[in-house]
Amino acid sequence: MPRNADADRPHLPVELTVNGRAVAAPPGQTILELVREQHLDTVPTLCHEPGHPPFGSCFLCVVEVKDARGLLPSCTTRVRDGMEVVTRSDRITRARKTALALLLSDHYADCACPGQLACPAGVDVQGYLGLAKLGHYREALRLIRERNPLPVVCGRVCVRKCEAACRRNLVDESVGINQVKRFVSGHASVHPERLPPTGKRVAVVGGGPAGLSCAYYLTLQGHAATIHEAMPRLGGMLRYGIPAYRLPREELDADIDVILGLGVEVACNRRLGREFTLRGLREEGFHAIFLAPGAPLGKKLGVPGEDARGIESALDFLRDTELHGPRRLHGKVVVVGGGNSAVDAARTAVRCGAEEVTILYRRSRKEMPAFHEEVDAAEQEGVRLATLVAPVEAIRDAATGRLAGIRCVRMELGEPDRSGRRRPLPVEGSEFEVPCSFAFSAVGQAADPDLFSREPEDGRPAVGPPGTIEADAATMACRLAGVFAGGDAVNGPAAVIDAVAQGRLAAEAIDGYLRTGEVKRPDPAFVCRRDDFGPVPETLVVADYCWTRTARAAQVVFPASTLAETDGNLVRFDGTLCPVEKGCSPPGGRTTAEMIRDLAREIGCALPLVRPDATRTDPSRTPAISLADAGRILVPRTLDIRKIRLSGKAGLPVRRSYATMNEAVRSRLAGREMRGAF
């Protein structure tokens, strides 16, 4: 049988040029595979996955091939002898941007998991759930620690904002996100590596969740962090405000040990304003300071007689229990408040031997900010819950001066207040007494007012009216150079994960400050959400370059052909491509959003509404503005003049200046007609 000559023929490499460079590739290889394999350039793609057949749908990977009729997708085009390929040019860049604009023009999906968006720390919920499902527990824990260095703690006490936003709630109930985090952190361990030392020192004032988080991420970047803690041990409110039955101390210490294992130094029993000052830290050689002293003081009830013996704050009661062990309580105990601290104090009082414990809360149970499972557990332990009740006076025993009871008034709910909850209003003539031997106030927390008493006036950070430190929300920077702040000292009492998030945010800003001498705000992240955003506003104004859902919903659409600011391709509303040329530059550097906003301010009359779809089909019609309230004009915040492209379908001229557009709007407002100006 004759042999196949082709079978004996050697497979010679294909010779071609890429960006002017002579290369050789095996037969059958695609241009994209060649470029990536030989590191000739970086070609973007969304639809290509190595090891799978090419799909060729996104067109982000297009390249120029000599003598080809147009741009070719590199993921499906195979190499051949003599081919001349260019992977980067202005034409290619414009085409890739156009392809991406088409993909995003009607994008309606979640760019990030709703749980991740709801998490203050931005933990990749979807990522670690997927890793945990596959059994990759170490990888899942490593992913969690990228944003949260206290996964064991949060597995116990997190407020679970991620679960409230979980998509599964639309079906039945949320995924047990926090339980998975708790499981992963208990079944894996991760030892993060730090960068080489930078020689920079940072003082962290406060060893609570914000301070621990900041020290952790600073140390990972190679900086030397020292935590100055006022109490005998680290943890802050995690140790001295949350009872051990809810957060076992061995689990708290496990998270803290990971942080200290990186080389973080600790100085306990050092209180700012007493053992040291900000000026002293500077003199000790610290290059930056992070203030996270928390809000350790409990607020008083604000009623007559509350100086009687037997009344104290719930925070003091919980702190003393941690420091000195459970005290013996006798008789009846009243706890005033509806948050987690109130429930913690009530359940701790039960463990201290109280005969009867009652929680007084001025709203209904539904509005209690405490975890409902914690309230359920308290009731199962015998705690009595009295809602729609508020204290008005503390009653003393005339002979001993000790607390004998709390005079209360019944409440009813009125209109919602700033918190969104209905405001409690006293019911006239409804006063009654609750006999008790001890009363614990859990109505709020406050920062220590003496923190900066020893600092000179120009050496103190700004402090707001509630006693909280003023700091930039994006960088946590204070008005003093090199001083940052976060946690409860800035926000007031908040969740653990909020403090963790601010600690990491401050660490990133401090790292940039130590390396460059400047505090830079992080770039805003663009996130698309699939959600119900409610009804369309009364007047929605957009400058549109693709026939998107937003444009279809708008009452007013500015055709972006009037705003074409750069050369490039645009997409008509029928899906075809059309080139545009640069028309003008924005005067004074104003963005499109700013220009439309300024024009809106000048509108003083309502004009007939022209539907956007009518504008598209009738070239003779000019989009009109219908507006009853200029303050209701909405412009997308992400709108940028440099990104504007627009259809020329209606036969409108591409070259159009801002002056022409301004005049067109003014003429419409004056009742004059200017056809073709828009």
Side-chain angles (χ1 to χ4, degrees):
M1 184 174 180
R3 299 180 61 184
N4 189 340
D6 290 339
D8 294 334
R9 182 179 301 166
H11 293 285
L12 298 177
V14 176
E15 296 182 352
L16 67 158
T17 62
V18 177
N19 298 330
R21 175 181 171 183
V23 295
Q29 191 173 45
T30 66
I31 296 176
L32 179 63
E33 292 170 338
L34 167 65
V35 170
R36 289 187 171 181
E37 181 181 280
Q38 300 193 23
H39 306 288
L40 302 175
D41 195 3
T42 301
V43 176
T45 179
L46 290 178
C47 66
H48 179 72
E49 180 67 24
H52 293 269
F55 199 60
S57 64
C58 73
F59 288 92
L60 292 182
C61 66
V62 292
V63 296
E64 292 181 3
V65 176
K66 186 177 180 180
D67 297 330
R69 297 184 59 182
L71 300 179
L72 301 178
S74 62
C75 65
T76 60
T77 305
R78 304 195 180 277
V79 297
R80 65 177 186 271
D81 279 323
M83 179 181 282
E84 297 181 18
V85 180
V86 175
T87 63
R88 191 179 295 266
S89 68
D90 291 342
R91 179 189 179 196
I92 292 172
T93 300
R94 290 195 300 267
R96 289 173 180 172
K97 288 183 177 180
T98 297
L100 184 60
L102 279 171
L103 291 171
L104 298 178
S105 63
D106 207 16
H107 179 63
Y108 183 52
D110 290 317
C111 292
C113 166
Q116 180 179 353
L117 297 177
C119 175
V123 177
D124 187 352
V125 172
Q126 187 174 6
Y128 80 74
L129 288 180
L131 290 170
K133 180 180 179 180
L134 296 173
H136 303 319
Y137 302 142
R138 289 190 63 195
E139 291 77 6
L141 182 58
R142 183 177 290 108
L143 185 60
I144 294 171
R145 284 191 180 275
E146 287 182 5
R147 291 276 181 161
N148 180 5
L150 303 174
V152 180
V153 168
C154 288
R156 284 280 187 176
V157 301
C158 190
V159 295
R160 306 189 297 276
K161 297 180 181 182
C162 55
E163 294 184 11
C166 180
R167 283 264 183 258
R168 187 71 193 181
N169 286 316
L170 301 176
V171 180
D172 40 38
E173 61 183 3
S174 70
V175 175
I177 299 171
N178 201 54
Q179 294 298 327
V180 174
K181 176 170 55 189
R182 182 172 171 179
F183 174 85
V184 166
S185 60
H187 287 75
S189 60
V190 175
H191 301 285
E193 297 182 0
R194 57 180 296 183
L195 296 177
T198 63
K200 302 294 185 179
R201 301 178 64 205
V202 182
V204 177
V205 180
L212 290 169
S213 175
C214 185
Y216 176 80
Y217 292 109
L218 283 172
T219 306
L220 289 181
Q221 295 302 314
H223 308 302
T226 301
I227 300 177
H228 300 261
E229 168 58 39
M231 301 299 290
R233 302 189 66 185
L234 295 178
M237 294 302 295
L238 299 176
R239 187 181 301 276
Y240 298 104
I242 300 178
Y245 68 82
R246 196 151 75 85
L247 178 57
R249 297 306 180 240
E250 60 271 16
E251 296 191 9
L252 170 60
D253 291 335
D255 272 342
I256 293 177
D257 288 343
V258 172
I259 298 173
L260 299 184
L262 294 174
V264 175
E265 297 182 2
V266 179
C268 290
N269 294 309
R270 281 173 55 84
R271 187 184 302 274
L272 178 62
R274 190 172 65 188
E275 281 78 23
F276 67 97
T277 63
L278 297 182
R279 174 183 291 180
L281 292 177
R282 297 283 197 189
E283 294 173 351
E284 291 179 33
F286 289 101
H287 301 91
I289 300 172
F290 177 63
L291 300 174
L297 304 182
K299 291 184 178 180
K300 294 185 176 182
L301 292 175
V303 299
E306 66 176 323
D307 57 343
R309 287 187 296 122
I311 297 182
E312 62 182 293
S313 78
L315 291 182
D316 288 343
F317 171 56
L318 294 171
R319 185 183 301 111
D320 290 344
T321 301
E322 176 66 24
L323 287 171
H324 310 297
R327 72 171 82 168
R328 292 301 303 170
L329 297 179
H330 58 83
K332 298 180 179 180
V333 175
V334 164
V335 181
V336 182
N340 284 318
S341 293
V343 178
D344 289 342
R347 297 182 66 187
T348 301
V350 171
R351 288 160 171 76
C352 290
E355 174 187 329
E356 179 182 287
V357 180
T358 302
I359 295 178
L360 305 180
Y361 182 56
R362 59 180 184 161
R363 291 185 170 94
S364 68
R365 173 170 177 157
K366 179 181 179 181
E367 279 121 352
M368 289 185 70
F371 295 153
H372 290 295
E373 56 266 34
E374 290 294 320
V375 180
D376 293 339
E379 289 186 311
Q380 291 171 5
E381 293 176 359
V383 175
R384 191 171 72 91
L385 182 61
T387 58
L388 294 172
V389 172
V392 293
E393 184 182 1
I395 305 173
R396 301 170 183 261
D397 183 283
T400 64
R402 282 191 56 85
L403 178 69
I406 299 291
R407 181 171 289 110
C408 302
V409 63
R410 301 198 181 278
M411 312 293 284
E412 60 182 4
L413 297 180
E415 296 298 320
D417 59 14
R418 289 183 299 177
S419 69
R421 296 175 296 174
R422 296 174 64 188
R423 184 189 304 276
L425 302 173
V427 177
E428 187 176 352
S430 63
E431 292 189 1
F432 65 100
E433 295 182 5
V434 179
C436 60
S437 301
F438 296 91
F440 300 125
S441 168
V443 295
Q445 298 169 227
D448 186 348
D450 297 326
L451 286 176
F452 310 114
S453 59
R454 294 173 55 192
E455 309 290 346
E457 196 65 35
D458 59 351
R460 303 178 183 181
V463 177
T468 54
I469 301 172
E470 295 183 358
D472 185 288
T475 63
M476 312 314 301
C478 300
R479 71 178 182 182
L480 299 178
V483 178
F484 302 77
D488 290 355
V490 172
N491 298 328
V496 173
I497 194 64
D498 291 288
V500 166
Q502 290 195 343
R504 183 187 59 79
L505 192 64
E508 292 179 352
I510 294 172
D511 176 58
Y513 171 76
L514 294 177
R515 295 181 187 276
T516 67
E518 299 179 1
V519 178
K520 296 183 179 179
R521 300 171 69 90
D523 294 331
F526 173 78
V527 177
C528 177
R529 290 186 299 147
R530 180 170 183 166
D531 206 345
D532 180 8
F533 297 102
V536 177
E538 179 180 337
T539 301
L540 176 64
V541 180
V542 299
D544 171 69
Y545 66 98
C546 284
W547 195 219
T548 61
R549 291 176 184 266
T550 304
R552 289 197 291 270
Q555 288 94 334
V556 182
V557 178
F558 283 95
S561 59
T562 63
L563 308 175
E565 302 299 329
T566 58
D567 297 337
N569 292 325
L570 56 84
V571 185
R572 291 193 177 100
F573 293 108
D574 59 4
T576 60
L577 299 180
C578 177
V580 297
E581 297 177 352
K582 184 174 180 179
C584 65
S585 297
R590 288 193 302 168
T591 64
T592 305
E594 292 169 339
M595 182 201 66
I596 296 176
R597 180 199 63 199
D598 294 341
L599 291 175
R601 290 175 178 170
E602 300 181 17
I603 299 174
C605 58
L607 299 177
L609 175 66
V610 177
R611 302 193 329 273
D613 54 349
T615 303
R616 303 307 182 194
T617 57
D618 184 357
S620 66
R621 299 291 296 276
T622 299
I625 300 175
S626 177
L627 188 65
D629 181 1
R632 301 217 177 180
I633 273 198
L634 302 180
V635 179
R637 288 181 296 176
T638 56
L639 196 61
D640 192 297
I641 195 65
R642 295 167 295 180
K643 300 178 182 178
I644 298 300
R645 296 288 187 279
L646 197 122
S647 164
K649 180 179 179 182
L652 304 175
V654 172
R655 290 183 178 271
R656 189 63 58 191
S657 69
Y658 268 92
T660 305
M661 183 175 182
N662 283 333
E663 182 59 32
V665 173
R666 297 177 194 278
S667 298
R668 288 293 295 175
L669 297 178
R672 300 196 303 269
E673 196 71 33
M674 283 189 66
R675 296 183 182 275
F678 270 39

